[in-house]
Amino acid sequence: MVSPVISTPARRPQPKLTEGLRLVDLTWRDHLVRVLLFSLPFLGVALLAYRLAFLSNTHAHIVEKALLAADRLRLEVIGFLYPPLPFLTVLVFPRTWMPSVLASVAAGGIAWLLWYDLERTELPRLWRMLLTVSVVATPTALYLATQAYPEVLALHLVVVAWHYYWNFVRYGHTFSGFVAGLVLGLAFYANFYAFLYAIALAGLVPLFRRAANRSREPSERWATLSQMLVTAFPALWAATSWTYINWVFTGNPFTYLAEPATAVIDPTRWGTPLAERVEWLRDFASELLAQPLLIAVLALNAWRYPRRVVPLVVLASLPSLIRLVGLTYSLPLALGTYTLIALLALPERLPRWIAPLLVIFAILQGISGTTLVLREGEVSQWERVLTTEQVRTSDLEERALAVALRQAPPRSILADDRGAYRIIARAESARPFLLPADEDFTAALASPADRVRYVLVSRSAPESDVVSAQFRQGPPAGFVVDGSRAGWIVYRRIDAPSLLATP
Amino acid sequence: MFVRSRPTSSPVSTRRRERLGEALVARGFLTQQDLDRALEYQRRTGDRIGRILIALGLIRRRQLYHVLAELWGYPFVDLLQEPLDSRLARLFDPAELVQRRCFPVRRHGSEIFVATAEQPSAELEEFIRGVLGPVTVRPLVTTEWDIDYAIRTVFRDVVLDRAALGLYFRNPDESARQVLIGWQKVVLASVILGVILGFLFAPRVTAVALSALVNGTLFIFVIFHFIVAMAGARHEHEQAISDEEVKALRDDELPTYTVLVPVYREANVIQHLIENLRQLDYPPSKLEILLLIEEDDEETLVAAKAARPPETVTFIVVPNGMPKTKPKACNVGLLFARGEYLTIYDAEDRPEPDQLKKAVVAFRKGPPELVCVQAALNYYNATENLLTRMFTLEYSYWFDYVLTGLDRLGLPIPLGGTSNHFRVDRLRELGGWDPFNVTEDADLGIRAAAHGYRVGVINSTTWEEANNHVGNWIRQRSRWIKGYIQTVLVHTRHPVQLVKSVGLKNVLGFILLIGGAPFAFLSLIPLWSLTLIWLVARTHVFDILFPPFVLYISLFNLLIGNGVMIYLGMLAGFKRRRYQLIPFALFNPFYWLLHSIASYKAVWQLVTKPFYWEKTRHGLTRYLDPSAPTAAKAD
């Protein structure tokens, strides 16, 4: 409803200051339509992978927790899973395809924002289109977009925040500053590294701000400090709040940093002595130098806006610094980050002749990235499944096992979701299972015959899977082997009907 | 007696009509230079020369009216000396006498002697005959001050009655004279009884229900504030009135503007007040400043006279009587107001000079239902100490973002304590201020909305003195919170009717804004105490209060809600570029504790002395002198 007085508002003088504002000219409906349109290609890839029964560990973990919470109707049963945002969004309808669909939409949002952002370069539309396609149609981007929901969600939020952050530090647009801060705060609940990016962006405010003539004046210093505070506060508050919740409900404030499937701390790197970590720097440097588009963009900025080079280099170095500290930062995510920084850092109003060069660099970066990621286990498996359109045997067996287990009565299968989460996710129901989150799990573990009819173990499950650890050598008293599929063994109580027997 | 130079039965009709200016110069009251200056001013403003001469201080009022009496051919009368026939005068409505600038002095058989500050006309005679029947009207000339004095003297009880009880008699349900009406008392008693019985027979369920209610309401309150503040932030750069629009105003198109300044025990700030009002950029001849002084406040009256205010300032003595509140004084002022628009300033206020003109532009631009525009309030002593910093942040957040957000969302706007600019005719229609409501401003804003009127905001600031003393702050804040509770109780007396007249959205907005604040502050100490006890003792005694869903909401309120409100507090410093204040938003939780203390005092007073006006002491700041560098300028 329009204000009775400011229905015909007079704009402040100095219109030039607001000309470069990003995103504020679009309504949320405009955004949504475009996000959905740009999501379509990713949705196609996601559904193909689903049809081929591929399920990433990350997605399995999220779906399993969502199924557990949906069945038990308590959020505490999930042990305050981190990051919670992907889980909460999947909770709406927990199915194995749901994270992929949501990831596709998040990726579509990123693609749309990249396309929107490229307009300011004033490059011809065809070249902008080629550039966008070059960066999103790579195995790295497609994997992130369809199989790494927490990471792509966080990326999406950081990209959104970046636009508003830019409005805030360059043009003093207050509303944008607060939106950026809030989005960065929200992004913490999608992935831990978003918190680090929020701190980095806050720290880089003095370098990104317009060089004011009175930069030494106290008011300018206070303005800078205020912008830093506004940028960082929500992320800091979100992290502190989550740490507090972890402490309240688990006794350990930093439980979430070591969450098995989406760990913030890389157990291998974390334990490495500092002296040995120096060697990693060479790998990180090689990785960065294998990003021709990013290097080209940094060079462009050095030519047009030299002040921006240092902060951009800091942002581009973050994936390396994060891994140097011993935290997790997957390779696909690192490559995706480099590409995004490259595109978002493109200067305004570029000469036309640069366009073909940028496309070539983007393609080279895509090839280089593909070579790197296809060494990774899950990414290469995903790529093989999609390119050969052949379902993996393990996926078929997992699905069959899950379908069979789903028929079991409620709370009749003793299992530990720290190892069995994939099976539970494929079962698309947590009801048949008695899990560590349940009150009588400990009693059932001590005396399974009194509480459950079946026990699910795996010889290759991690040690944290206490059921497998306890019973992987043989069935508990009163149980016999019912069958094995996909590396999992099902024990059944002697008097219980078989779940796996072929009719 | 009033007999002067010529018989009253022979008005001048045959001699040459001397012009007023010429007459004044001829009689030595004015120099030709002064007259030329006044005439030049008249060409610009189109106002009457007499009014101009008084406003510019070129002549005393009495001198002018003596000459006018001569020119009009009627005797002059000094109503301060003249015995007044009260019985005759009380046959008339005092409001009409004020507007017509006349006063019936005495009767001699069928002749009625009427003092008037306007040139006698047939209209005057018609008016007198309309009340008294066929009489002979004998005009006398006097000043409007004399007329106002006579009205205040003769109609003292009527003035007091109307000011104190006018709204109540007009519509009791719109007055806070009764704290609760019938069904409200029944509901309150039922709720209290229900809670007691609930704790006796089903303690767990009752405790959970209360916990759910409190936490659920706080959740909605936070979300609401967030939406409103961000709506305000989104339009931060929009200016309701531009400087060009103000400059385009011609003096001759400006109407008379009344400024009410209620003062009580403010002798120490009167001099500064007069000085601040002199800065107003408005044709003095069209400015009517009414200084409302309580009858028993001799000290302020003496100080006001000693300050030698300009002729545009009129002293209105407010008859002593209960309730002794600012809104009652303003109602007295409203009776004597002759302007087309009206505003209120407090004694320590420093309005921006062009504020009145911006209000005029706003009314001209706005729709017919626009009844009031609110200017922003802020503090000139922001950096005096921690309390003033927090107070300034709060005010900046409220006026620069919340009110703007409410305006954009089309929700009712609660008025601020001062710098509300009204259309006088509509204000009278609404019944003026409620003297029993200690936040009469918030009440009036909501009452206006309930009657289908709109309140807007203008981009002008009045600089005030922030409380720099905790005790004084708590007194002031407890009054505001008490007033907010009064306002909610009054305007929810007929909820169905209210929803029908303003819509559900506006009703919910009003309840969340005005009722949500006291609710939130009253809840704060108990909830934080529970958290603190749990943190220290790690007891599970309170677990029963927080079943899963309630637990999630209360955790959200504790962690996200508080974080959001602290964050919104940071918004406050940006519009005015008061960046040094922004980090102090982190201290908001401590500031809220003060609010919570004040809220309990408010509830106690609502029960024990609902109409008691906690007077805020002013003039405590070291930045009182406008000529000294202020904290505002030093920011």
Side-chain angles (χ1 to χ4, degrees), chain A residues 1 3-4 6 8 10 12 24 74-76 174-175 178 181-182 222-223 226 230 233-234 237 245 247-249, chain B residues 226 234 236-237 239-240 242 365-367 407-408 454 535 538 548 552 555 559 563 567 571 579-580 582 586:
Chain A
M1 191 170 168
S3 158
I6 59 174
T8 50
R12 253 193 193 169
V24 292
R74 286 184 70 99
L75 289 178
E76 307 92 276
T174 309
F175 174 78
F178 281 80
L182 289 168
W222 279 109
S226 300
V230 166
F233 180 82
W237 188 269
I245 286 185
W247 174 63
V248 167
F249 289 99
Chain B
F226 176 75
R234 202 182 171 101
E236 178 193 75
H237 294 292
Q239 299 292 304
S242 69
K365 276 170 68 167
D407 195 25
R408 293 303 298 182
R454 294 293 308 280
L535 272 173
R538 303 308 299 266
Y552 306 148
L555 276 175
L559 299 170
Y567 196 51
L571 258 180
Y579 301 116
Q580 309 94 302
I582 290 170
L586 297 171

Side-chain angles (χ1 to χ4, degrees), chain A residues 112 114-123 125 128:
Chain A
W112 148 241
L114 289 177
W115 172 253
Y116 168 87
D117 212 48
L118 284 175
E119 277 192 38
R120 58 187 173 76
T121 62
E122 295 182 4
L123 294 174
R125 185 176 273 253
R128 280 190 273 141

Side-chain angles (χ1 to χ4, degrees), chain B residues 90-105:
Chain B
R90 288 177 75 105
L91 293 173
F92 293 82
D93 175 25
E96 254 198 292
L97 295 178
V98 168
Q99 296 306 317
R100 290 181 181 276
R101 292 177 159 89
C102 69
F103 188 89
V105 179

Side-chain angles (χ1 to χ4, degrees), chain A residues 283-301:
Chain A
D283 296 334
F284 298 147
S286 306
E287 188 182 272
L288 267 172
L289 290 171
Q291 312 303 317
L293 179 64
L294 177 62
I295 293 171
V297 170
L298 288 174
L300 271 175
N301 276 281

Side-chain angles (χ1 to χ4, degrees), chain B residues 288-305:
Chain B
E288 175 187 56
I289 300 174
L290 304 182
L291 201 59
L292 310 173
I293 305 177
E294 293 286 336
E295 201 171 34
D296 63 345
D297 190 8
E298 196 59 39
E299 186 190 17
T300 304
L301 183 59
V302 166
K305 286 179 179 168

